[in-house]
Amino acid sequence: MIERVAVVALGLMVAGAAVAQGMQVPKPSSGLMPNPTMGKPLFEKNCASCHGVALDGSDKGPPLVHRIYEPSHHGDIAFQLAVKNGTRAHHWQFGDMPPVPGVTPDDVAHITAYVRMHQRRAGIR
């Protein structure tokens, strides 16, 4: 329970920082149930060229099955913000991530569910 509260608090802090910086926080459709099975083809189409088909990174981008991307450090909202606005390089030396046009907040929710499934399988919680 305490862990869940900490994750929610972190998510609110990230959202608050995004709003303070003038970024609109993307939100999936109300009632959407993120589905890893739907996320797999979306990941392969939009993310795998940089983050690796097996989510293990490439010469263009970092691995997403890594403790740095565990939910308590990079909550689901971080994925939404990175896809919508891009993100500055801050953990790795791959350069900045550009926005990913054409990927909706619902798509990102499914992609994130797919990533989280693989993280859990690797013992990242």
Side-chain angles (χ1 to χ4, degrees), residues 2-25:
I2 293 173
E3 181 179 289
R4 188 171 290 201
V5 171
V7 169
V8 170
L10 180 63
L12 291 172
M13 287 176 12
V14 170
V19 170
Q21 294 176 17
M23 286 188 249
Q24 183 178 0
V25 178

Side-chain angles (χ1 to χ4, degrees), residues 33-110:
M33 296 295 293
N35 183 330
T37 302
M38 292 178 70
K40 182 179 194 272
L42 291 165
F43 179 88
E44 290 169 347
K45 177 182 177 187
N46 298 289
C47 314
S49 63
C50 292
H51 294 289
V53 175
L55 295 90
D56 57 353
S58 76
D59 61 346
K60 296 180 198 170
L64 296 176
V65 177
H66 190 284
R67 294 221 178 268
I68 285 178
Y69 295 103
E70 68 186 5
S72 65
H73 186 69
H74 282 87
D76 294 358
I77 194 168
F79 288 82
Q80 290 284 351
L81 289 167
V83 170
K84 169 98 172 130
N85 303 307
T87 188
R88 292 176 52 189
H90 55 286
H91 290 297
W92 310 94
Q93 299 300 314
F94 294 101
D96 297 343
M97 176 183 158
V100 186
V103 180
T104 69
D106 287 0
D107 293 341
V108 175
H110 294 307

